[in-house]
Amino acid sequence: MRSKKPARLARVLAVLFAFALIAAACGDDDDEVGTSEDGGSADGGDMAMDDGGSADDGDMAMDDGGSAEGGDDMDMGDGMDMNMGDPDATPASEVAGAEVVEGSFVLLDTRPDGYDDVTGTAQLARHDGGTTVTTEVFGLIPGEDYISHVHAEPCADNGGPHYRFDPDGSDMPPNEIHLAFTADEEGRGFMTAENDMVAGDDAVAFVVHPVDLLDNKIACVDFG
């Protein structure tokens, strides 16, 4: 059911690597990154995106469904694991013994045209093994690529900055929780990400963006 979009996935990875280089991601509304360009590439390593392919020399590899290969980690080439989610992981709502908070998406005024019918849910589970986050989104554009993050402020504040386990640490996973996915032919997106650290009480919201329009937050979930 997953569409093969190598060019789009290349843009996903280029954008993600740009996050690491400029430490901007989508923190607050005044500090977000603009759109990526077709054909953009990240310095410091090649990106391999093919059906069943793998990256050499520690480069990044992503399969055709928007999730990282080899246990769902993207290797940024400097030892940093980029866990962007695994659609086959145990969903947050099904993690045994977990404390689960969840909510439904509300539309944000920053959403681009064409996203007025977006609905869905997100769940965050805290458990002995760490934190699991699952999202299911409907009303997306089929075949488009999306990225979503746990945020540190409520939806009334458009989610504010990303939640970080270490506030002074990296703006990339595993210090942040990012989920990347491609909408299927019915406009549905689904992904689960796992982290071996337990999120604090300030992990309060979840925001989804189009990869091509990162400044334009589509919708937000308040947890709890």
Side-chain angles (χ1 to χ4, degrees):
M1 188 163 59
R2 294 188 280 181
S3 59
K4 296 183 179 180
K5 299 280 186 178
R8 291 186 180 280
L9 294 176
R11 294 202 300 274
V12 174
L13 294 174
V15 169
L16 294 175
F17 194 58
F19 287 171
L21 293 176
I22 66 176
C26 63
D28 55 35
D29 291 339
D30 296 325
D31 193 33
E32 293 190 344
V33 181
T35 61
S36 62
E37 296 180 0
D38 291 346
S41 62
D43 294 334
D46 296 327
M47 294 178 293
M49 285 77 57
D50 55 19
D51 300 340
S54 61
D56 295 330
D57 300 325
D59 293 333
M60 294 181 292
M62 180 175 277
D63 67 16
D64 62 1
S67 62
E69 293 180 358
D72 318 307
D73 291 336
M74 289 187 290
D75 186 350
M76 295 295 288
D78 59 2
M80 180 169 59
D81 287 336
M82 287 291 297
N83 179 1
M84 301 297 291
D86 178 1
D88 298 320
T90 301
S93 60
E94 298 178 14
V95 176
E99 174 188 338
V100 181
V101 290
E102 62 184 322
S104 298
F105 279 106
V106 295
L107 296 175
L108 297 177
D109 292 339
T110 55
R111 68 188 183 276
D113 292 340
Y115 289 97
D116 292 345
D117 297 323
V118 169
T119 61
T121 60
Q123 300 89 31
L124 183 149
R126 297 176 175 92
H127 49 90
D128 291 342
T131 304
T132 301
V133 178
T134 298
T135 190
E136 185 172 26
V137 193
F138 301 94
L140 301 174
I141 296 175
E144 290 295 317
D145 301 314
Y146 298 88
I147 190 165
S148 49
H149 314 87
V150 176
H151 280 249
E153 295 181 8
C155 295
D157 298 321
N158 286 342
H162 293 175
Y163 170 78
R164 295 182 184 178
F165 291 94
D166 176 2
D168 298 320
S170 170
D171 62 351
M172 301 298 288
N175 196 45
E176 295 188 357
I177 300 176
H178 297 193
L179 286 72
F181 54 87
T182 301
D184 68 15
E185 61 188 11
E186 296 179 351
R188 172 184 177 264
F190 178 83
M191 188 57 67
T192 294
E194 299 171 311
N195 192 294
D196 60 8
M197 295 178 284
V198 179
D201 293 339
D202 49 343
V204 298
F206 186 82
V207 175
V208 61
H209 318 243
V211 163
D212 288 343
L213 294 169
L214 285 171
D215 288 337
N216 299 93
K217 298 176 179 178
I218 298 171
C220 179
V221 167
D222 280 315
F223 288 131

